[in-house]
Amino acid sequence: MKHITIVVPDCRVNVNTIGGAYDILRQANEYWKQAGHPSLVNIEIAGFASEVRSHNGYLAIRPVDIRQIRQTDLVLIPAVLGEYEEAVRQNQELLDWIRLQYKCGAEVASMCSGAFLLAATGLLQNRACSIHWNKVAEFERMFPGVQIATGKIITHENGIYTNGGAYSFLNLILYLVENLFDRSVAIRCSKVFQIEVERTTQSPFTIFQAQKEHDDELIQHAQTYIEEHLDSRISFEKLAVQLAISRRNFDRRFIKATGNTPVAYLQRVKIEAAKKELERGRKTIFEVMMDVGYTDDKTFRDVFRKITGLSPADYRSRYNKARATA
């Protein structure tokens, strides 16, 4: 029998990730037993804190004392709700315990922003990590030695698992269920808990941030120009001349400030505008395409799919309540 420990850090956590992981793993074990197999897992919720409450105070978890658990086979770290540096400072004893368990052969998985605690153990150094798309900047600032697996829902490397945020932790738990039990149990859980199986990317859910948290005023002017001329054909050669800078230096400073080339930034701004139109409006895909400055249907669809992982039609079908037809 394998022992699974869902740890409870001494900080603000998303208790739903604790309860959700526990419920799915427990139910998976029940399905396994119903199929005639002996019980496969023993799941405990444990920590150094005597109690952890949800952010609204309505739900409380009273973990067992983690010092009673000398060895486990799988450690699950729940999502942390902000104040990540403080969370790391408050949980040094827990981080030491996780490091020791991994050294003794346990696997370790973080759910969403639980990756901040996992990274603080040092176990992610020079390894890939999936993190919610809106936590990437802060994560990179705190842990520059960890490689971000951009857009991925799940990473798995040398017994270390991470997942890309919010309720996609459910996809991670399904992944673990398949590894612990088998494919049939994972599929059964996906149907009963109504979790989309085989989800691999965050791309459809990503909201493009304007990347203006820098102090290069010239590049900020360029970004504003791009955003105000989405329906136009923008020449970066001409824009560089207007800003009194060479194209080479313009590209270099743009990449340094935003992390994107000017062309990639333009594409992402256009597609973000197109996504909003598709979500809220009744315009045809052709009209949306023209609104954001594309004149070639194939190019628009290719760029849209590259950034979101979906075609414009599929994206609208999924996120527009009106479900207008093109």
Side-chain angles (χ1 to χ4, degrees), residues 87-97 99 120:
V88 168
R89 282 194 292 270
Q90 288 180 196
N91 287 281
Q92 288 300 313
E93 194 174 6
L94 178 60
L95 300 182
D96 290 340
W97 184 89
R99 274 191 293 265

Side-chain angles (χ1 to χ4, degrees), residues 63-118:
V64 302
D65 189 338
I66 203 167
R67 284 166 287 217
Q68 299 174 9
I69 301 175
R70 296 301 180 89
Q71 189 167 357
T72 192
D73 297 294
L74 173 63
V75 178
L76 289 177
I77 305 172
V80 178
L81 297 176
E83 300 176 345
Y84 304 118
E85 292 179 342
E86 181 63 23
V88 168
R89 282 194 292 270
Q90 288 180 196
N91 287 281
Q92 288 300 313
E93 194 174 6
L94 178 60
L95 300 182
D96 290 340
W97 184 89
I98 294 170
R99 274 191 293 265
L100 177 61
Q101 294 303 316
Y102 183 73
K103 183 179 179 180
C104 292
E107 296 188 310
V108 183
S110 65
M111 295 179 272
C112 187
S113 53
F116 283 89
L117 293 181
L118 177 55

Side-chain angles (χ1 to χ4, degrees), residues 240-308:
V241 170
Q242 291 176 24
L243 296 171
I245 188 174
S246 72
R247 175 62 193 275
R248 181 178 179 181
N249 282 336
F250 174 73
D251 286 356
R252 179 183 57 79
R253 285 173 60 172
F254 201 101
I255 293 169
K256 182 179 179 181
T258 71
N260 276 311
T261 66
V263 172
Y265 184 88
L266 175 62
Q267 288 179 337
R268 298 202 61 162
V269 172
K270 284 176 178 287
I271 297 306
E272 188 63 30
K275 284 165 57 180
K276 291 176 181 177
E277 285 285 346
L278 293 169
E279 289 165 12
R280 68 190 176 208
R282 301 189 66 89
K283 291 183 178 180
T284 66
I285 291 173
F286 179 80
E287 289 171 327
V288 171
M289 177 187 78
M290 297 299 289
D291 284 348
V292 297
Y294 282 96
T295 57
D296 180 77
D297 179 75
K298 183 178 185 305
T299 299
F300 173 66
R301 292 174 189 273
D302 287 349
V303 174
F304 195 98
R305 183 180 291 278
K306 177 183 176 183
I307 291 175
T308 69

Side-chain angles (χ1 to χ4, degrees), residues 139-187:
F139 189 89
E140 288 181 327
R141 178 182 62 79
M142 289 180 63
F143 306 106
V146 179
Q147 304 164 13
I148 299 296
T150 305
K152 278 193 174 182
I153 291 292
I154 296 169
T155 65
H156 176 198
E157 184 179 355
N158 297 324
I160 302 287
Y161 305 81
T162 65
N163 94 272
Y167 279 83
S168 67
F169 83 89
L170 297 170
N171 297 96
L172 171 64
I173 302 304
L174 279 188
Y175 185 84
L176 293 172
V177 165
E178 183 170 352
N179 287 351
L180 289 164
F181 300 93
D182 62 19
R183 177 72 171 177
S184 66
V185 174
I187 291 174

